[in-house]
Amino acid sequence: MQKRLTFVLQYVAYGLALAFVFLLLTTDDLSLGLGNASDDSGRVSFNQAVARAAPAVVNIYASKVYQDRVHPLLLDPFLRRLLGEPPASLQQRRNHSIGSGVIMNSRGFILTNAHVISDSNEINVTLNDGRQAPAGIIGMDVDTDLAILKIELPNLPDIPIGDSSTLRVGDIVLAIGNPYNFGQTVTQGIVGATSRKRRGLSFFDDFIQTDADINIGNSGGALINTRGELVGINSAIVSSTGGSEGIGLATPINQALFVMQELVENGQVIRGWLGIEVQTLDPNIARMADLTSGGVWVSAIIKNSPADQAGLLPGDVLISIDGKQTSTPDQAIETVMSLAPGKQVRLEILRGWERQELATVIQQRPVTRIP
């Protein structure tokens, strides 16, 4: 009888152990999917993720002070004799814009959108804890619509940094910002797409698409995952009304960190430049020319650019740059951008039906100015 009882107890112990392991595994799976979104009561919440990120998200108030211009007619000599001299002191006016930003470290560097603070001569930042400070511009990169500000305050919060390359379509994300100057607001959605390109919003389009509500004032704010990690900078919306219609676009944090480092160290982003415009190559031409790896069609050459100096011509097919294949226009742009100015490169091209090689020296991409 004792042996039977021992036998039964052993199997009961094995069963309990297996149940415990299964519970641990399912709990881990839930935490991976929702980022520990359930509290002790079983309620699904992203409060912990927001609590980690929100203190580092700030409101940005940018303004430009200018004077009324004298109407040209008032400068006419006849009218000046008739009406007198125009007033010496003109009324000052102020244009305002609102946006958001993210404190990236305790040194006070803030990442935001360039369009939030462009053409401003006075920028003020309000932290989530109520503190306020003026901000100076460290640098702007119009090509990615990103800018770096700096404030001087003690005990600044920062934000956990995620990896935007790991985002998948369907992942839950949260947008934090200051829409319509309501104050800090959190909205929730999913990743609708990654690597959205050529929307005409910036030169290097590579956006995260989300249906988390992004409105006026959200620009420059944080897009976080369910662990509270920063994965993007909210940049724009696609809308016919000016308000959120379910298509928001954020700059991936991996790209933003590269731009931030360049702006802090150099005041601008240093990129390679070839001076060409390219388009997708007709597949029929690629097939007839036996271009198994593809290529891009050169549609325009900028005068005195490295491409012009190499002898590249509109109508050429660009097969590779510095040994790297260029099967799409985006790939060609990214390859050139990654090359250091001063580097000698070889261009493999197809001219007519003949393959040729050209040589040139990469230059630094001219800085894009805000109109």
Side-chain angles (χ1 to χ4, degrees), residues 53 72 77 84 182 232 240 256 302 329-330 342:
F182 278 2
S240 59
I302 297 177
D330 287 330

Side-chain angles (χ1 to χ4, degrees), residues 73-196:
L73 286 176
L74 295 179
L75 300 177
D76 182 86
F78 174 77
L79 291 178
R80 288 173 66 179
R81 288 196 300 269
L82 182 65
L83 302 175
E85 294 292 327
S89 60
L90 300 175
Q91 183 179 1
Q92 283 192 340
R93 297 187 182 274
R94 186 185 296 266
N95 280 342
H96 298 274
S97 66
I98 60 170
S100 305
V102 182
I103 301 174
M104 299 299 290
N105 54 43
S106 59
R107 296 168 60 192
F109 289 114
I110 296 175
L111 187 57
T112 186
N113 283 140
H115 74 259
V116 171
I117 52 93
S118 64
D119 204 27
S120 298
N121 49 29
E122 185 177 317
I123 303 171
N124 290 288
V125 172
T126 300
L127 276 66
N128 192 33
D129 61 14
R131 288 184 292 171
Q132 297 181 333
I137 299 175
I138 299 299
M140 290 191 294
D141 182 47
V142 178
D143 288 332
T144 55
D145 191 26
L146 293 172
I148 301 296
L149 307 178
K150 194 173 190 303
I151 58 174
E152 301 290 343
L153 282 176
N155 303 318
L156 289 172
D158 55 12
I159 192 168
I161 306 298
D163 182 358
S164 54
S165 69
T166 64
L167 283 177
R168 299 169 299 178
V169 174
D171 284 355
I172 295 173
V173 287
L174 309 170
I176 309 177
N178 179 28
Y180 300 110
N181 204 23
F182 278 2
Q184 192 174 93
T185 301
V186 182
T187 56
Q188 177 257 325
I190 64 170
V191 174
T194 57
S195 297
R196 280 293 189 215

Side-chain angles (χ1 to χ4, degrees), residues 186-232:
V186 182
T187 56
Q188 177 257 325
I190 64 170
V191 174
T194 57
S195 297
R196 280 293 189 215
K197 297 180 181 296
R198 295 293 166 261
R199 301 298 306 181
L201 300 170
S202 66
F203 187 82
F204 300 110
D205 292 350
D206 187 24
F207 291 109
I208 303 163
Q209 180 183 321
T210 177
D211 62 346
D213 284 338
I214 297 174
N215 289 290
I216 296 172
N218 273 109
S219 291
L223 188 73
I224 65 171
N225 60 24
T226 54
R227 293 183 292 273
E229 297 168 338
L230 183 66
V231 293

Side-chain angles (χ1 to χ4, degrees), residues 16 45 50 61 65 69 79 82 94 101 110 150 172 219 228 238 254 268 272 279 288 304 311 335 338 347 352 357 361:
L16 290 174
S45 173
V50 174
Y61 302 92
V65 179
R69 297 180 63 183
L79 291 178
L82 182 65
R94 186 185 296 266
I110 296 175
K150 194 173 190 303
I172 295 173
S219 291
V238 178
N254 292 10
Q268 61 178 325
Q279 297 180 13
M288 288 188 294
N304 297 324
T335 298
S338 66
L347 309 176
E357 276 198 355
V361 177

